[in-house]
Amino acid sequence: MNNQDNLDLELNDAEMHLYSRQILLDGWDLDAQEKLKFANVLIVGAGGIGCTTAELLARAGVGKITLIDADTIETSNLQRQIAFTPADIGQFKSDTLAKRLMQINPHIRVEFYVGKLDQSNADEFVRQQDLVLDGCDNFTTRYVVNAACKKNAIPLISASAIGFQGQLFMVDADSACYECLFPKEKMADEGLRCADSGVLATTPVVMASLQAHHALLYLGLDKSPLKEKLLLWDGLSMKQRILHFEKDTNCSTCQASLSVN
């Protein structure tokens, strides 16, 4: 685990200059920027989506970013995982990405964990956060993240990318969840991953940018435009759709969170 603890209580002159283009925005002021500074965000997965999301949030000024990923960097990752170079091959993704973020923005804190998020540690990681961003590439982890976020009442923004297409949606304490949208019994095929099916270099970057954008809207402005809504992006037609989804009364995750809360 890596941790930087020197975080000032207010925006200093260097930070004001770094974030000046955001602070000048209509609808985004000093208060919004300070909300980012004190935000804690967990990013699950340091791959194609996680790399871009993490870098954008670091540049925007999110005060504390925690990364979790068990994998090492391979040659095939370099096509889309923009934080890594050939010199990083064989290194752990979470460690390498954390170092990259601190080079980009020394005013933030970055923690990393080399390992998997699973049922044994999910609650510990999730309960400390203001927001969780899921960009992993397997269903097992996605269901664990979803359950932990619902149990601990922590908002979740989930992004995925495969081939030329991507999806994005948001879950919070009282909303429908990932399992409502994708019941476990219908999503058991772990072969539906970019590692096995392929992905265009730009697809995860597009979805990560949308995920990071939504995260900034939520953290800085308390906006949740994709709560209980599924954004579908088609990279071949350049079309985008947003579909509303509702709670599944038979969802085991939602029922479990009700009994806890």
Side-chain angles (χ1 to χ4, degrees), residues 38 92 257:
F38 295 108
F92 286 110
S257 66

Side-chain angles (χ1 to χ4, degrees), residues 195-240:
D196 306 300
S197 303
V199 62
L200 192 67
T202 47
T203 305
V205 177
V206 169
M207 299 315 300
S209 297
L210 291 172
Q211 183 185 47
H213 180 78
H214 195 304
L216 294 178
L217 293 180
Y218 175 77
L219 294 170
L221 302 177
D222 197 29
K223 293 183 178 294
S224 305
L226 289 182
K227 177 181 174 180
E228 291 189 322
K229 295 177 182 177
L230 176 65
L231 182 151
L232 301 171
W233 184 78
D234 187 330
L236 284 177
S237 65
M238 296 298 288
K239 291 182 179 179
Q240 179 175 294

Side-chain angles (χ1 to χ4, degrees), residues 6 13 18 27 35 40 47 53 67 79 83 111-112 114 121 129 175 182 202 209 215:
N6 298 320
D13 290 343
L18 178 60
K35 287 180 181 179
N40 297 329
T53 295
L67 309 167
Q79 164 248 18
E111 295 185 354
F112 70 88
V114 177
N121 61 20
Q129 310 303 323
S175 74
F182 301 112
T202 47
S209 297

Side-chain angles (χ1 to χ4, degrees), residues 34-106:
E34 288 180 342
K35 287 180 181 179
L36 288 193
K37 181 181 176 71
F38 295 108
N40 297 329
V41 174
L42 173 67
I43 298 178
V44 182
I49 290 175
C51 279
T52 297
T53 295
E55 180 167 329
L56 290 172
L57 295 187
R59 291 182 183 276
V62 172
K64 181 182 176 185
I65 298 173
T66 302
L67 309 167
I68 181 167
D69 194 296
D71 294 340
T72 56
I73 300 162
E74 302 177 359
T75 299
S76 62
N77 300 149
L78 304 182
Q79 164 248 18
R80 64 198 177 280
Q81 298 179 16
I82 63 173
F84 309 137
T85 70
D88 299 318
I89 292 173
Q91 303 299 310
F92 286 110
K93 291 182 180 180
S94 58
D95 184 2
T96 305
L97 180 55
K99 292 174 181 175
R100 165 77 172 163
L101 299 185
M102 290 307 301
Q103 290 174 339
I104 289 171
N105 190 347

Side-chain angles (χ1 to χ4, degrees), residues 4-261:
Q4 291 80 32
D5 295 314
N6 298 320
L7 194 64
D8 295 330
L9 295 179
E10 296 180 354
L11 292 170
N12 58 39
D13 290 343
E15 289 173 300
M16 292 286 288
H17 185 64
L18 178 60
Y19 310 133
S20 60
R21 294 301 185 271
Q22 288 178 182
I23 296 170
L24 288 171
L25 278 170
D26 288 339
W28 187 283
D29 55 16
L30 192 59
D31 287 341
Q33 193 62 48
E34 288 180 342
K35 287 180 181 179
L36 288 193
K37 181 181 176 71
F38 295 108
N40 297 329
V41 174
L42 173 67
I43 298 178
V44 182
I49 290 175
C51 279
T52 297
T53 295
E55 180 167 329
L56 290 172
L57 295 187
R59 291 182 183 276
V62 172
K64 181 182 176 185
I65 298 173
T66 302
L67 309 167
I68 181 167
D69 194 296
D71 294 340
T72 56
I73 300 162
E74 302 177 359
T75 299
S76 62
N77 300 149
L78 304 182
Q79 164 248 18
R80 64 198 177 280
Q81 298 179 16
I82 63 173
F84 309 137
T85 70
D88 299 318
I89 292 173
Q91 303 299 310
F92 286 110
K93 291 182 180 180
S94 58
D95 184 2
T96 305
L97 180 55
K99 292 174 181 175
R100 165 77 172 163
L101 299 185
M102 290 307 301
Q103 290 174 339
I104 289 171
N105 190 347
H107 304 292
I108 66 172
R109 296 169 59 195
V110 182
E111 295 185 354
F112 70 88
Y113 179 77
V114 177
K116 292 183 178 181
L117 190 80
D118 56 30
Q119 293 181 347
S120 70
N121 61 20
D123 285 342
E124 177 185 356
F125 277 103
V126 167
R127 70 166 63 102
Q128 305 173 39
Q129 310 303 323
D130 297 305
L131 178 65
V132 175
L133 303 177
D134 182 11
C136 70
D137 66 350
N138 69 87
F139 295 127
T140 300
T141 303
R142 287 184 178 276
Y143 286 117
V144 170
V145 174
N146 175 68
C149 287
K150 289 292 288 185
K151 177 182 176 181
N152 294 281
I154 303 299
L156 165 68
I157 302 175
S158 180
S160 60
I162 190 167
F164 301 94
Q165 300 176 327
Q167 300 178 344
L168 182 71
F169 62 92
M170 182 177 184
V171 169
D172 71 8
D174 62 355
S175 74
C177 75
Y178 181 78
E179 189 175 350
C180 293
L181 184 59
F182 301 112
K184 287 182 180 179
E185 62 272 15
K186 297 182 180 180
M187 302 298 291
D189 184 4
E190 288 286 5
L192 296 174
R193 303 166 62 233
C194 66
D196 306 300
S197 303
V199 62
L200 192 67
T202 47
T203 305
V205 177
V206 169
M207 299 315 300
S209 297
L210 291 172
Q211 183 185 47
H213 180 78
H214 195 304
L216 294 178
L217 293 180
Y218 175 77
L219 294 170
L221 302 177
D222 197 29
K223 293 183 178 294
S224 305
L226 289 182
K227 177 181 174 180
E228 291 189 322
K229 295 177 182 177
L230 176 65
L231 182 151
L232 301 171
W233 184 78
D234 187 330
L236 284 177
S237 65
M238 296 298 288
K239 291 182 179 179
Q240 179 175 294
R241 293 189 298 157
I242 296 179
L243 308 176
H244 178 77
F245 65 96
E246 299 178 347
K247 278 189 177 182
D248 180 352
T249 56
N250 296 317
C251 173
S252 60
T253 297
C254 287
Q255 294 301 318
S257 66
L258 287 175
S259 63
V260 170
N261 300 321

